[in-house]
Amino acid sequence: MPLFVTFDPVRDTLPILKDNVSNFYPSILGLTGTPAETDVAAKTFQAFFRREKSDDNDPRNYLVSHTSAFYVINPKDKIMIKQFKYGIILDQMFAALAKIL
């Protein structure tokens, strides 16, 4: 089952998260938690995220830089991580994921 974990639980409320994940894949499940829980998840999966100011310096208007990776967990709980550069062609991404599945 595909999962999407937010690194911005303050802004990504459940309704917003549900709407956002539907843009990625129809049956993806969006996960959120407290900021502390998000920190633990990021550390566990060695993911990076950082809140950054926008150009207009409005504190409500910010960006979140983050790791973009797929974590594939097999039935024996072995985690395989595959990172993709921004702008990768979907066929290339699918081929790379097919190799580890």
Side-chain angles (χ1 to χ4, degrees):
M1 167 180 281
L3 303 174
F4 176 96
V5 179
T6 181
F7 287 133
D8 190 8
V10 173
R11 187 167 54 182
D12 287 344
T13 62
L14 288 176
I16 289 171
L17 189 59
K18 182 178 179 182
D19 186 52
N20 286 345
V21 299
S22 69
N23 292 319
F24 292 102
Y25 190 75
S27 64
I28 196 166
L29 179 63
L31 300 178
T32 188
T34 65
E37 291 167 334
T38 303
D39 288 343
V40 169
K43 288 177 186 166
T44 300
F45 288 94
Q46 300 174 358
F48 159 84
F49 71 98
R50 177 179 59 224
R51 183 187 278 192
E52 299 182 19
K53 292 181 182 179
S54 67
D55 292 338
D56 63 9
N57 287 322
D58 181 343
R60 297 167 296 162
N61 195 18
Y62 58 89
L63 304 172
V64 178
S65 294
H66 58 82
T67 301
S68 178
F70 285 84
Y71 298 82
V72 179
I73 304 172
N74 72 13
K76 295 182 182 179
D77 293 334
K78 181 177 181 194
I79 299 172
M80 293 165 272
I81 302 171
K82 183 65 180 167
Q83 290 187 305
F84 298 100
K85 292 183 179 180
Y86 178 76
I88 188 170
I89 297 169
L90 285 179
D91 290 342
Q92 293 172 337
M93 182 186 297
F94 294 147
L97 288 172
K99 286 180 183 177
I100 63 174
L101 295 175

